[in-house]
Amino acid sequence: DVTAAFRGLNETIDLMSAESARVLAAVQAGDKSARADESAFTGFWAAMPEGLNRILDEFGALDAQLESEVRRQRLLAEASVLALDVESGPALYSRLTALVCDGLNAERAALLSATEPGGARVEVLGAAGRDWPLDALSPDERWQERAYAPGAVSVASLTGCDEAVLAHVHMGDGFDAYLYAERDRAAFSREEIAFLSTAAGLLAHAEARTGAEERLRRQSIKDEMTGLPNRAFFEEYLRQLEPLPGERPLHAIILLDIDRFQQVNETLGYTVGDELLREAARRLSEAIPRGALIARHGSDEFIVHVDGVAGSSEPRRIATALIACFEESIWADGNSIRLAASVGFAEGSPLDAASGRLTSNADTALRHAKGQPGSAVERFQLGHHAEVVRRSWLEGALWEHVNSAAMDVQ
């Protein structure tokens, strides 16, 4: 503690001053034995300025070290905020290397990645400080040997500077990088190496966070079974639709249901059913036109959005092509399975698509198609709603009658 050290120095000077005054008084009183002490104190006070200056220099150096450490801790705090808030990528790499360059008083700092086996060449992912001579970045054997050492280590400079230090960063998915700094002055201190190691750890944390967020994002928009976008993503995509100024584009929603798919699951098992879904998704994806979006809408349902259609003939043609995907049998777990499908579609404005009205209308048309024998394609018509309501009422009345008859028998 600098304050305690200065307090101790002042106390020592006070004691020496009091003792010098006592010896001087004894000498003045004629005490000959005190003259030897007077000579020693005279030498002490003669050397005192030089000693004080040396002590002050040491305290000044210590104070500078403390100030540098405080600055490094402040920079690490900024790096922590970056690791939590900034998405991994060039912006994060550039800002973090700038903090490292500042914290180490380095000529250059960079995030490097080996681009060839063994690290024969490196790529600069982010850099700060003096311009990097990119054509000179060819690590020597010492750099390669120590690249995977834990923490930060001193290495040979990549550009010929006096000192260089390196810290390994695990970037995830088998990708490794190295946080590197160099300067033309004194060697890096233990505290500076610890600073670089901590910065590398924060970068690795940021990469892990970004990777986890990306995995969650993919899970939230992707159907794991088929690899297609899921229903949530598809609905959000529709909500973002907006008509271009001066245009009245026609959009279509096509909804396909695989007939009797549940029977496959019940008779052949869910493993076979999963294989069928994956193959169906592959075939359907290849059948839709460029620019259309297909997603898995439910257990055995797929939904397609097409914009800029000229009328009902185009979505009907696409729907027919989708049904044709099931004309050829699908092999799954040694079984040759022939499937069929029903399709309903509806057309309307971007606002109709964004509001979900087209999806609802296509679903109504699909129900009407499933009520017909074999594979069928049905375009939504206003009368379909009445038909669906009538059929639902008849089904409800039938069930009520059956239940009443069962109660009478009991």
Side-chain angles (χ1 to χ4, degrees):
D1 181 76
V2 176
T3 303
F6 269 112
R7 186 183 300 112
L9 178 62
N10 287 331
E11 291 175 355
T12 300
I13 292 176
D14 289 342
L15 289 174
M16 294 299 292
S17 297
E19 186 65 17
S20 296
R22 184 190 66 77
V23 171
L24 181 60
V27 170
Q28 291 176 346
D31 186 351
K32 295 182 179 181
S33 62
R35 291 194 176 275
D37 293 334
E38 180 187 22
S39 176
F41 277 110
T42 300
F44 169 78
W45 289 112
M48 177 61 73
E50 181 181 352
L52 282 176
N53 288 335
R54 185 172 63 253
I55 292 173
L56 290 175
D57 289 342
E58 292 176 357
F59 277 124
L62 178 59
D63 187 54
Q65 292 178 14
L66 290 174
E67 183 178 349
S68 296
E69 183 63 23
V70 169
R71 183 167 58 86
R72 284 192 291 268
Q73 293 303 318
R74 176 180 57 79
L75 294 173
L76 285 178
E78 293 183 27
S80 298
V81 173
L82 290 177
L84 290 173
D85 294 343
V86 179
E87 184 176 353
S88 176
L92 174 62
Y93 303 156
S94 296
R95 294 174 67 179
L96 188 63
T97 52
L99 291 178
V100 168
C101 195
D102 187 13
L104 297 180
N105 292 317
E107 301 291 338
R108 300 184 182 94
L111 181 65
L112 307 175
S113 171
T115 57
E116 292 183 7
R121 290 181 60 82
V122 296
E123 176 185 2
V124 179
L125 303 179
R130 292 197 323 219
D131 292 338
W132 282 85
L134 298 180
D135 56 344
L137 294 184
S138 54
D140 63 7
E141 292 182 359
R142 183 184 177 200
W143 192 89
Q144 296 176 42
E145 290 173 357
R146 307 191 70 179
Y148 282 92
V153 295
S154 296
V155 293
S157 170
L158 294 177
T159 64
C161 280
D162 295 337
E163 299 292 337
V165 67
L166 180 83
H168 173 248
V169 182
H170 178 63
M171 306 288 278
D173 297 328
F175 173 46
D176 293 289
Y178 313 96
L179 202 53
Y180 171 89
E182 62 181 23
R183 66 188 181 195
D184 283 325
R185 291 186 297 279
F188 290 97
S189 67
R190 182 178 59 186
E191 291 77 15
E192 289 175 322
I193 290 177
F195 168 81
L196 186 67
S197 293
T198 304
L202 290 173
L203 179 56
H205 172 78
E207 290 294 320
R209 173 186 59 80
T210 301
E213 291 174 352
E214 177 61 22
R215 287 190 294 273
L216 289 174
R217 188 190 68 82
R218 287 198 301 265
Q219 292 172 4
S220 68
I221 67 174
K222 181 180 178 181
D223 175 58
E224 293 298 321
M225 176 67 66
T226 63
L228 297 177
N230 60 19
R231 182 172 182 168
F233 174 82
F234 189 86
E235 292 176 349
E236 179 61 28
Y237 167 81
L238 293 182
R239 281 193 287 269
Q240 302 302 320
L241 292 177
E242 293 182 1
L244 296 175
E247 290 189 354
R248 299 178 62 85
L250 196 62
H251 290 238
I253 293 294
I254 304 170
L255 197 57
L256 178 144
D257 178 89
I258 301 177
D259 296 336
R260 297 182 300 278
F261 178 76
Q262 186 59 32
Q263 295 179 14
V264 175
N265 281 334
E266 293 173 353
T267 57
L268 299 178
Y270 285 93
T271 300
V272 173
D274 292 346
E275 289 188 35
L276 288 177
L277 282 177
R278 284 190 283 268
E279 177 60 18
R282 185 190 67 80
R283 294 184 181 185
L284 293 172
S285 298
E286 294 177 353
I288 62 174
R290 185 186 301 273
L293 175 68
I294 184 171
R296 186 181 178 192
H297 194 250
S299 174
D300 55 359
E301 287 186 356
F302 297 86
I303 190 167
V304 177
H305 168 260
V306 187
D307 62 0
V309 297
S312 62
S313 60
E314 184 174 355
R316 182 176 294 276
R317 178 183 57 78
I318 297 171
T320 303
L322 295 179
I323 286 182
C325 291
F326 300 99
E327 292 179 353
E328 182 180 345
S329 298
I330 297 177
W331 281 90
D333 196 26
N335 299 281
S336 177
I337 303 170
R338 187 71 175 269
L339 296 176
S342 300
V343 176
F345 69 91
E347 317 97 21
S349 69
L351 294 179
D352 291 331
S355 67
R357 186 178 297 112
L358 283 189
T359 302
S360 176
N361 291 345
D363 183 64
T364 299
L366 174 62
R367 294 188 196 182
H368 192 78
K370 289 180 70 65
Q372 302 179 34
S375 297
V377 175
E378 193 68 32
R379 176 175 179 258
F380 172 76
Q381 299 178 28
L382 292 178
H384 285 161
H385 276 309
E387 176 64 21
V388 169
V389 171
R390 186 184 69 85
R391 186 177 301 169
S392 298
W393 181 86
L394 287 175
E395 290 176 353
L398 178 60
W399 275 108
E400 184 177 351
H401 177 74
V402 170
N403 290 333
S404 298
M407 293 178 64
D408 290 342
V409 170
Q410 292 176 358

